[in-house]
Amino acid sequence: MATQLAKQKKTDFKPRNDDDSFARVNTDPCIGCCDILEKVGIAAKQNLSGKNLEIFLTEVGVAFHRCGFRRVISIPSHLQYVVNCLNTSANSP
């Protein structure tokens, strides 16, 4: 997952003028992460059940969240966006 997230560029979120990039919803790293998570989910459901499945998928989710969050805060402009969002939500009634 870290490898896929490392492929994400700051410029991936800046709008471009061409129609292809505007119509595209997901970036390549996003699609790669989703593919990995889908494969892990399928394999987990085939080999685990009940509480073991729940605990395993929770750990995968927490690890993915941690990896993504570290990536976001490693880029100053992304960190500023997170701070702005937190300030906005904290100040709203």
Side-chain angles (χ1 to χ4, degrees):
M1 297 298 272
T3 304
Q4 287 296 325
L5 290 173
K7 294 177 185 176
Q8 191 77 57
K9 300 177 190 117
K10 289 192 287 187
T11 56
D12 286 344
F13 301 104
K14 291 184 180 177
R16 296 180 193 105
N17 292 331
D18 61 336
D19 291 334
D20 291 337
S21 66
F22 181 73
R24 189 170 172 198
V25 177
N26 299 320
T27 62
D28 289 335
C30 176
I31 293 168
C33 287
C34 290
D35 289 344
I36 292 169
L37 289 172
E38 182 178 17
K39 289 175 185 176
V40 168
I42 290 169
K45 288 176 185 175
Q46 290 173 347
N47 295 291
L48 301 170
S49 63
K51 199 69 173 167
N52 288 336
L53 176 62
E54 180 184 341
I55 291 169
F56 177 76
L57 291 177
T58 299
E59 289 298 320
V60 169
V62 168
F64 177 67
H65 181 270
R66 186 180 302 123
C67 189
F69 185 73
R70 285 183 182 154
R71 176 75 181 149
V72 166
I73 64 172
S74 71
I75 300 172
S77 61
H78 290 174
L79 179 58
Q80 186 60 50
Y81 174 76
V82 171
V83 170
N84 290 344
C85 288
L86 291 173
N87 285 337
T88 301
S89 64
N91 293 330
S92 62

